[in-house]
Amino acid sequence: MLDELLSRNRDWSARRIADEPGYFARLATRQCPEFFWIGCSDSRVPANVVAGLDPGEVFVHRNVANVVHSTDMNLLSALEFAVDALAIREIIVCGHYGCGGIKAATEDLPHGLADHWLEPIRRLARGYAVDLARCDDIEARRDKLAELNVVEGVRRVAETPILQRAWARGADISLHGLIYGLRDGLLRDLDCTVSRGHSEPDAAQ
Ligand code: CO
């Protein structure tokens, strides 16, 4: 398995160099990505691939169900670096339909540590219980909850001192909420963009 992976890597590297001889030399000197992506760890939603971006074009943080915990040092460290060192202007929180983390958060089963990790999603489901109950079936409810989790994530990123400080010093950074469809490979804009001067998402629901 690992030999196969290393072999694929050598082929990929050779193809890249054939396409652009200075490719790796250019990337090795510095990275200047335009996007910071906060997404789900799900193997079917790789940021670069679904957004059609090359190495060097997107700075990425992923976790189970793309949860934005206000105390997650991993996410906050990546966010701070993206904003302060890379001067990124577009931050994307991207969820996806058919998310296993969302499903786990809606089940009455023990999932170990994941139950702690997914607690904000359970809280969100309780808060939007009336809206979620209007969905036709359990899958539609989970997909709606995946959307709500993205909108909540955008709001939480906007509330971090990292973003508040950046906006206060005039940085032009926008936060966007997207959701990806596993069935059609398409990203959808959830219209919850937050920019400087707006402390709340436009269309939080
Ligand atoms: Co997922």
Side-chain angles (χ1 to χ4, degrees):
M1 289 282 280
L2 185 62
D3 286 346
E4 164 85 16
L5 185 150
L6 293 172
S7 165
R8 282 168 178 258
N9 165 255
R10 282 192 296 273
D11 292 346
W12 173 77
S13 171
R15 280 198 307 276
R16 283 285 179 174
I17 291 169
D19 287 346
E20 184 190 333
Y23 182 76
F24 290 109
R26 175 170 61 80
L27 278 184
T29 55
R30 65 186 289 246
Q31 61 168 335
C32 45
E34 289 181 22
F35 302 98
F36 177 41
W37 174 285
I38 299 170
C40 183
S41 299
D42 193 304
S43 64
R44 298 165 294 181
V45 197
N48 285 77
V49 178
V50 304
L53 296 169
D54 279 330
E57 294 185 325
V58 58
F59 193 65
V60 176
H61 170 88
R62 292 166 70 184
N63 65 51
V64 174
N66 46 274
V67 180
V68 177
H69 282 268
S70 305
T71 54
D72 177 2
M73 294 305 287
N74 184 350
L75 190 155
L76 293 175
S77 300
L79 177 67
E80 185 177 75
F81 188 76
V83 169
D84 293 348
L86 297 174
I88 272 176
R89 309 222 350 225
E90 310 282 347
I91 299 175
I92 292 166
V93 178
C94 184
H96 68 102
Y97 296 133
C99 180
I102 297 285
K103 178 170 180 282
T106 57
E107 289 172 337
D108 201 11
L109 297 166
H111 300 91
L113 271 179
D115 288 328
H116 296 273
W117 182 256
L118 300 170
E119 195 276 331
I121 300 178
R122 288 183 186 274
R123 188 158 11 103
L124 205 55
R126 285 194 296 273
Y128 286 90
V130 175
D131 299 272
L132 292 169
R134 288 200 202 102
C135 298
D136 291 340
D137 54 32
I138 184 70
E139 285 219 359
R141 268 201 292 284
R142 285 171 180 157
D143 287 349
K144 178 71 182 168
L145 187 55
E147 294 177 357
L148 292 169
N149 181 44
V150 169
V151 175
E152 178 70 9
V154 168
R155 186 177 320 182
R156 284 186 172 226
V157 172
E159 286 171 352
T160 58
I162 296 167
L163 260 292
Q164 293 294 323
R165 274 200 312 267
W167 280 324
R169 68 171 181 260
D172 185 14
I173 303 170
S174 295
L175 316 183
H176 310 279
L178 304 182
I179 194 130
Y180 175 79
L182 292 176
R183 293 175 193 277
D184 59 14
L186 294 175
L187 291 167
R188 295 151 180 83
D189 188 350
L190 290 175
D191 291 325
C192 58
T193 294
V194 187
S195 304
R196 185 156 62 101
H198 294 86
S199 57
E200 287 294 319
D202 303 339
Q205 44 182 324

